[in-house]
Amino acid sequence: MACFSRMAALLTMLTLASGPVIAEPLDVTIGYLQWQPDPGPVLSNVIPEPADAGLRGAELALNDNSTSGKFLGHVYALEATVADSEEAAIAAFDAMRQRGIELFVVNAPAATLRTLAGIAAESTLLFNAGARDDTLRTGGCPANLLHTLPSYSMLTDALGQWLNQRRWNEVFLITGPTEADRNWATAFRRSAKRFGLDIVEDKPWTFNADLRRTASKELPLFTQASDYDAVVVADVRGDFGEYVPFNTWLPRPVVGTQGMTPVAWHFVVESWGAAQLQNRFRELADRQMNNEDYAAWAAVRAIGTAVTDLNSAQPAEIRNFLFSDKFQLAAFKGRKVTFRAWNGQMRQPIPLVHPRGLVATAPFEGFLHPNTELDTLGFDRPESKCRINQ
């Protein structure tokens, strides 16, 4: 009997020693800022982006963080502002910082991001969930700015790898008139050189006609050339690109911003548990998850992953953790995602999709890298002047 009592006491001590450590209660408030300029009217029947693109993704991630955080005493809150001007966005940023918020997810143009990063204290950490500009990743990179949205070059490198793999090496490039179109096309020209593609025609789109009535006449003439394997469209806003498929001079596939498109996220992605994420998002937002939603979700989840490990919401500690070997995010893309130490870009696979299906996911086998194949997408360390985590 005495032996049994001693054994019971020993088991109790072992249970207590190995039991969960109750963390101190911790409040984690994340600021969400959104401002995107009005793109203006378009000349096609494109479905406009939802006004809450990005915000809903952040809300879903906050729910995910709260589910795990409640067992550790971590209480998450999201303070969100969808501004109607850049000035209003900057004012909201200042107001949030005065209330002690130092963790931000921002869906705004590159120039606004640079302004916010410049006026922020060193203790403030920002996540870019809305600007694809390569200039944010290649030179003058703010040390307090990380990127969860893929850059233009990551998207076009995914497309370049796919075209190379298919041996569709001769392409016809059409570039729209907006700055975003030119940025996308510039990134693709770099990708073409990188993966051995020949741009046989490089033409700007200068028409302003309503293609709903004239596409079948104008586009075949516009895409005349002796031969090409594919037509690459750079029309981010959707002015004319929706009418290029099936209206080209030669019967060729259309890829780029229309046709088959490289994206951060799309509702056709369902492998690696993604269907469960898609379902939870539709239940929350009553619509499909898009690129900005996914980028905002990834940013908030990255913060939550760090807070869970550190039991701290200090931005400097979170930043150090995100650049460490300990960080990995289950991102529903089949690969471990991490942040690049030189420019703060989140490495991630890039799905290539058409409106109703997944075609493939980059990077592809055969495109080698000494560290990780994910760094074959976008600007690698030697190609970027940024060194934000030396």
Side-chain angles (χ1 to χ4, degrees), residues 93-145:
F93 179 70
D94 285 334
M96 289 185 193
R97 288 190 58 245
Q98 290 175 12
R99 292 194 293 275
I101 299 175
E102 296 292 353
L103 297 168
F104 288 89
V105 178
V106 183
N107 178 2
T112 306
L113 269 172
R114 286 193 182 278
T115 298
L116 296 179
I119 63 177
E122 291 184 2
S123 59
T124 304
L125 186 59
L126 296 87
F127 292 82
N128 167 25
R132 297 170 176 80
D133 303 61
D134 286 313
T135 55
L136 289 169
R137 285 92 165 168
T138 57
C141 302
N144 58 348
L145 178 62

Side-chain angles (χ1 to χ4, degrees), residues 89-355:
I90 294 171
F93 179 70
D94 285 334
M96 289 185 193
R97 288 190 58 245
Q98 290 175 12
R99 292 194 293 275
I101 299 175
E102 296 292 353
L103 297 168
F104 288 89
V105 178
V106 183
N107 178 2
T112 306
L113 269 172
R114 286 193 182 278
T115 298
L116 296 179
I119 63 177
E122 291 184 2
S123 59
T124 304
L125 186 59
L126 296 87
F127 292 82
N128 167 25
R132 297 170 176 80
D133 303 61
D134 286 313
T135 55
L136 289 169
R137 285 92 165 168
T138 57
C141 302
N144 58 348
L145 178 62
L146 307 185
H147 311 273
T148 52
L149 188 71
S151 64
Y152 285 124
S153 65
M154 290 176 68
L155 301 175
T156 60
D157 279 353
L159 180 58
Q161 286 188 13
W162 185 83
L163 289 167
N164 175 284
Q165 187 184 59
R166 296 299 301 268
R167 302 293 186 264
W168 294 352
N169 296 323
E170 295 187 342
V171 299
F172 190 124
L173 175 61
I174 309 173
T175 304
T178 71
E179 181 180 1
D181 298 339
R182 292 189 291 271
N183 288 340
W184 200 101
T186 297
F188 180 78
R189 293 184 189 104
R190 168 189 167 275
S191 299
K193 292 180 180 178
R194 197 178 196 190
F195 298 110
L197 308 179
D198 181 17
I199 302 177
V200 297
E201 291 285 344
D202 191 342
K203 298 179 70 173
W205 180 261
T206 58
F207 301 88
N208 57 7
D210 187 346
L211 290 180
R212 287 173 290 188
R213 287 183 284 273
T214 61
S216 61
K217 293 181 179 179
E218 293 190 16
L219 279 165
L221 295 175
F222 184 81
T223 55
Q224 274 187 310
S226 59
D227 195 16
Y228 45 86
D229 297 314
V231 176
V232 180
V233 178
D235 177 23
V236 174
R237 190 173 66 168
D239 267 325
F240 64 91
E242 310 297 332
Y243 298 103
V244 178
F246 307 105
N247 278 315
T248 56
W249 179 258
L250 298 175
R252 299 294 186 265
V254 174
V255 298
T257 55
Q258 279 76 27
M260 189 197 72
T261 305
V263 295
W265 194 254
H266 195 278
F267 69 85
V268 298
V269 177
E270 295 184 331
S271 300
W272 308 295
Q276 183 260 356
L277 178 68
Q278 305 276 23
N279 290 337
R280 289 192 295 111
F281 184 86
R282 280 191 290 266
E283 184 178 346
L284 171 75
D286 197 28
R287 61 173 177 80
Q288 305 287 5
M289 193 178 208
N290 67 10
N291 297 301
E292 288 75 16
D293 291 314
Y294 181 81
W297 174 87
V300 175
R301 284 296 291 130
I303 293 171
T305 301
V307 171
T308 298
D309 188 274
L310 299 168
N311 193 35
S312 170
Q314 293 300 315
E317 296 181 35
I318 291 174
R319 183 184 184 279
N320 290 338
F321 176 83
L322 295 180
F323 282 121
S324 75
D325 294 336
K326 297 175 66 177
F327 171 70
Q328 56 180 323
L329 178 64
F332 301 100
K333 287 190 172 185
R335 299 282 293 269
K336 170 185 175 181
V337 302
T338 57
F339 286 95
R340 291 172 178 159
W342 57 93
N343 64 4
Q345 173 66 58
M346 178 178 276
R347 299 178 177 94
Q348 56 189 285
I350 300 297
L352 294 122
V353 305
H354 63 76

